Amino acid sequence: QVQLVESGGGLVQAGGSLRLSCAASGQLFSNFGMGWFRQAPGKEREFVTGITWDGGTTSYRDGVKGRFTISRDNGKNTVYLQMNSLKSEDTAAYYCAQYRNAYSNYVPRDQFEYHYWGQGTQVTVSS
């Protein structure tokens, strides 16, 4: 069983920055890619970014490219999301998730390709 715990959310002014962390418990973290999703009130959960098991490939949704950066530290079983130049439309609950399949060399955007999920951390950007 894998547990994912997000932290780092909060209230920030537009143009500000936040760094989210997702700490994973359980074994084999380094064998699985990780992703970040978000869900705003009244909207469907959407893919934000993902990173492969070895950090070799990343992918971002349009609208966050150049502002958000995903990274991972396999020694700490943690994945990060650095968010800069935040906008009001980035306001959402942010969730980290772990791929279903180990050693995948691509970044899936479909939430059904992710098996374990964190409880979410709220990011609110005031304009």
Side-chain angles (χ1 to χ4, degrees):
Q1 186 73 15
V2 173
Q3 289 188 325
L4 304 175
V5 180
E6 301 97 336
S7 61
L11 174 63
V12 64
Q13 289 188 333
S17 298
L18 283 174
R19 187 175 85 152
L20 306 184
S21 299
C22 171
S25 64
Q27 59 185 359
L28 306 179
F29 171 81
S30 60
N31 295 355
F32 291 85
M34 300 292 295
W36 287 95
F37 288 74
R38 67 187 181 188
Q39 187 168 21
K43 295 187 177 181
E44 294 187 350
R45 187 159 56 185
E46 63 184 18
F47 171 84
V48 177
T49 180
I51 187 168
T52 51
W53 62 279
D54 60 351
T57 300
T58 59
S59 179
Y60 299 87
R61 70 175 295 106
D62 291 343
V64 307
K65 290 178 183 177
R67 300 190 297 121
F68 290 11
T69 303
I70 188 171
S71 61
R72 65 187 297 157
D73 184 338
N74 286 343
K76 295 183 178 179
N77 279 15
T78 301
V79 63
Y80 303 98
L81 178 60
Q82 178 68 44
M83 304 186 295
N84 299 328
S85 303
L86 282 161
K87 304 176 180 180
S88 57
E89 54 260 44
D90 295 318
T91 294
Y94 283 71
Y95 300 88
C96 68
Q98 186 182 76
Y99 290 13
R100 287 188 183 277
N101 299 315
Y103 302 117
S104 176
N105 288 320
Y106 75 103
V107 179
R109 297 188 172 216
D110 187 336
Q111 63 180 314
F112 298 105
E113 297 211 41
Y114 293 79
H115 187 43
Y116 294 103
W117 292 81
Q119 82 290 348
T121 186
Q122 180 66 36
V123 171
T124 302
V125 184
S126 63
S127 56

